[in-house]
Amino acid sequence: MRTAEIGEVLRRATGGDLCWWKPGEGGDVRDIQRAPYLLELRWELEPFDGEIPPVLTRLYFAEPEDYVELLLGLRFGTKDVRDPDSHDRQNDDIDVAERRRVEGRRWHWGLA
């Protein structure tokens, strides 16, 4: 079920059908204040039996300037809001994604 939910958003992403998140309206894509060239897709996946609250899942990605038709997935992470260290781990995920974006840019992410 979780794989299907993630797959549906990724299918919409490849079709160019994602929409920007707006307060009160929802949406798929959000800016990240901590790393201005990164974006995130968010999922609040339904919990398995015994898991409360739902699993918060993030895909941190970039759209390269030279290849605007691409979505480069840079880090996939989950967040358990019951864990007091979850915010720090989320920041670590963002830092890893940003580092990958910067390092990959030097090599054009292996794209010709």
Side-chain angles (χ1 to χ4, degrees), residues 36-91:
Y37 294 101
L38 289 182
L39 301 166
E40 74 175 1
L41 290 174
R42 292 182 174 194
W43 293 269
E44 187 170 317
L45 303 175
E46 291 301 317
F48 288 129
D49 289 338
E51 278 186 358
I52 298 174
V55 175
L56 305 179
T57 306
R58 310 284 193 262
L59 173 63
Y60 300 102
F61 70 96
E63 295 175 326
E65 296 165 14
D66 298 337
Y67 306 95
V68 293
E69 69 279 3
L70 297 181
L71 179 155
L72 293 172
L74 299 167
R75 182 71 168 187
F76 191 76
T78 59
K79 181 177 180 179
D80 180 348
V81 295
R82 299 171 296 181
D83 181 351
D85 296 325
S86 66
H87 187 70
D88 291 337
R89 271 196 292 286
Q90 184 176 7
N91 283 339

Side-chain angles (χ1 to χ4, degrees), residues 1-14 43 45:
M1 183 67 162
R2 288 179 175 174
T3 303
E5 290 179 59
I6 292 169
E8 175 56 29
V9 173
L10 295 179
R11 272 189 293 283
R12 289 191 303 112
T14 60
W43 293 269
L45 303 175

